[in-house]
Amino acid sequence: MAYDDSILKFGIKPYKKSIISPYTEHSGKNTRREKAAFLAFARNSDLYRMRKTIRQIEDRFNKNYNYPYVFLSNSPFSYEFIKGIQAMTESEVQFGLVEGEAWGRPSWIDKEKAETEKRESKYMNGKIEEYRWQCRAHSGHIFNHPLLDGKEYYWRIESGSKYSCDIDYDPFKFMKANGIVYGFNMAPIEDLRTVRTLLNSTKDFILNNKDMIPKSNLLDFVLDEQGLYNGCHFWSNFEIVKLEFFRSPEYTAYFKHLDLAGGMFYERWCDGPIHTMATSIFLNKTQVHYFEDIGYYFPALGNCPSRPDTKTKCICDPKKSFGNRHKCILHWKTL
């Protein structure tokens, strides 16, 4: 399908602006918090992996800030899970359900087509129906959950993730001070079998909503020299987001367009590539930040900072880090 080069232009460069350094802040429990929370989608079976993750988050960062946690699931949390999580932090912890329109396969999806894709898929999680439901919930619904009412930011956490460096500043404050909307830590290449038509659907949206698309954007990050999707995406198991972005009319319209296209069921579009496409068309580079200084591991990819001013804060080995040498990260640094 032909598209308007003035909208989908490969090579647009955003303007530059100075960044306020995060490395001069002195943290402490009396520091004023932002309206923010840690957000996790979890199940009762994740309890012990999540306890380990929270312990690291608390030790590395949150013991000095006491940001609250919001835990969501598609089924009720057990008493054991609730008590087991609450025991790991002095912060407020809330638990809620993802249900109704936010969970399941929508009525307009062609059941036979979706079942054929699921049955014949040869990619990771392709045969797991609930994985698609979870991707859809993260892509279009979770950030509107009532437990996030009144919040301006969320930091997504995942059971089994590891934090290997002390974080002695507040990433929420850093984002607010610098006008940052979306923060990421790793950016691998998506299995292109799962996103076969995502770019085409995105092009259709752009052509039908030109008034929503800013001239300065991040399409360079997701397009190769032929204008095809290169697979680069922000790994959304770690993301720090200004909720206003996902709740905006622009993002809402984009998600509804993708939802009706059915690619989460006819392929396996997930929230990582969807969030990345959205940031690429609606934001510029000054609004997106690579948290390179945060040591992070989630099977089987990790980021270990190599900067001299962060090495003493970390227990990971920078020489064994893969995430910060990944081709998409190197590509990001050239934009």
Side-chain angles (χ1 to χ4, degrees):
M1 176 179 177
Y3 57 92
D4 185 346
D5 284 334
S6 68
I7 299 294
L8 272 175
K9 185 177 180 182
F10 182 79
I12 291 177
K13 297 294 184 184
Y15 64 88
K16 304 288 186 181
K17 76 172 185 179
S18 60
I19 293 291
I20 299 172
S21 173
Y23 305 109
T24 58
E25 179 181 327
H26 176 71
S27 61
K29 285 192 176 183
N30 294 322
T31 302
R32 178 182 172 274
R33 294 193 300 267
E34 298 300 324
K35 295 176 182 178
F38 292 101
L39 175 66
F41 184 92
R43 295 181 173 85
N44 291 319
S45 58
D46 294 322
L47 173 59
Y48 292 102
R49 291 189 300 275
M50 185 60 78
R51 279 169 58 89
K52 291 179 181 178
T53 296
I54 293 176
R55 169 52 62 213
Q56 293 183 12
I57 291 171
E58 289 294 311
D59 289 347
R60 295 297 188 182
F61 168 72
N62 204 41
K63 65 184 179 182
N64 293 321
Y65 292 91
N66 294 118
Y67 276 107
Y69 291 81
V70 173
F71 281 85
L72 301 176
S73 185
N74 62 296
S75 58
F77 288 109
S78 67
Y79 178 84
E80 180 186 16
F81 186 93
I82 291 172
K83 291 301 180 182
I85 296 298
Q86 289 175 331
M88 303 306 295
T89 177
E90 295 180 1
S91 299
E92 178 186 16
V93 187
Q94 293 180 290
F95 302 87
L97 286 174
V98 177
E99 53 190 350
E101 168 61 21
W103 191 256
R105 183 191 291 178
S107 60
W108 59 83
I109 297 298
D110 183 324
K111 183 177 179 180
E112 183 176 346
K113 183 177 179 180
E115 288 298 320
T116 298
E117 173 72 16
K118 188 170 66 172
R119 183 176 60 255
E120 297 180 355
S121 66
K122 298 183 185 301
Y123 44 78
M124 184 180 294
N125 296 321
K127 301 184 186 303
I128 304 174
E129 178 74 3
E130 284 202 3
Y131 185 81
R132 288 179 162 80
W133 300 355
Q134 187 173 333
C135 289
R136 180 172 177 268
H138 274 299
S139 298
H141 296 284
I142 280 180
F143 40 79
N144 289 317
H145 196 282
L147 289 182
L148 290 173
D149 287 352
K151 298 291 189 292
E152 294 181 13
Y153 300 89
Y154 77 70
W155 178 337
R156 180 171 163 186
I157 60 175
E158 201 82 24
S159 66
S161 56
K162 300 177 181 180
Y163 291 79
S164 55
C165 302
D166 292 336
I167 305 170
D168 53 6
Y169 68 98
D170 186 338
F172 298 120
K173 286 185 177 296
F174 171 70
M175 289 181 65
K176 192 165 193 175
N178 289 285
I180 295 165
V181 175
Y182 189 92
F184 72 98
N185 182 265
M186 290 195 289
I189 292 178
E190 178 65 299
D191 186 333
L192 294 178
R193 294 173 295 178
T194 71
V195 286
R196 303 185 295 273
T197 62
L198 177 58
L199 180 60
N200 286 339
S201 289
T202 300
K203 290 177 182 178
D204 290 341
F205 174 81
I206 290 173
L207 293 178
N208 290 315
N209 297 276
K210 294 181 182 180
D211 58 317
M212 291 186 178
I213 312 301
K215 292 182 179 179
S216 180
N217 54 49
L218 277 168
L219 282 166
D220 277 5
F221 181 64
V222 296
L223 299 178
D224 64 19
E225 294 179 355
Q226 287 74 48
L228 302 174
Y229 181 31
N230 58 20
C232 289
H233 70 291
F234 304 133
W235 222 16
S236 55
N237 46 68
F238 174 106
E239 60 181 6
I240 307 178
V241 186
K242 188 174 184 180
L243 281 158
E244 182 181 66
F245 174 59
F246 284 154
R247 294 168 175 170
S248 68
E250 293 81 5
Y251 183 87
T252 300
Y254 177 60
F255 170 74
K256 288 182 176 178
H257 173 82
L258 297 185
D259 204 21
L260 289 172
M264 282 166 267
F265 298 90
Y266 304 147
E267 297 172 25
R268 199 218 63 193
W269 301 350
C270 209
D271 46 282
I274 289 174
H275 288 180
T276 304
M277 282 289 179
T279 58
S280 296
I281 62 177
F282 294 126
L283 303 178
N284 62 58
K285 196 177 182 185
T286 67
Q287 297 171 294
V288 181
H289 182 69
Y290 170 35
F291 281 101
E292 185 175 6
D293 59 300
I294 295 181
Y296 180 79
Y297 174 85
F298 184 77
L301 188 62
N303 172 66
C304 185
S306 57
R307 294 168 35 148
D309 59 344
T310 59
K311 282 184 178 181
T312 58
K313 304 174 186 177
C314 304
I315 60 171
C316 55
D317 184 351
K319 295 179 181 178
K320 296 181 180 179
S321 176
F322 175 69
N324 53 11
R325 296 197 299 271
H326 192 278
K327 65 184 297 185
C328 293
I329 292 295
L330 298 178
H331 175 45
W332 171 266
K333 291 181 177 181
T334 67
L335 298 179

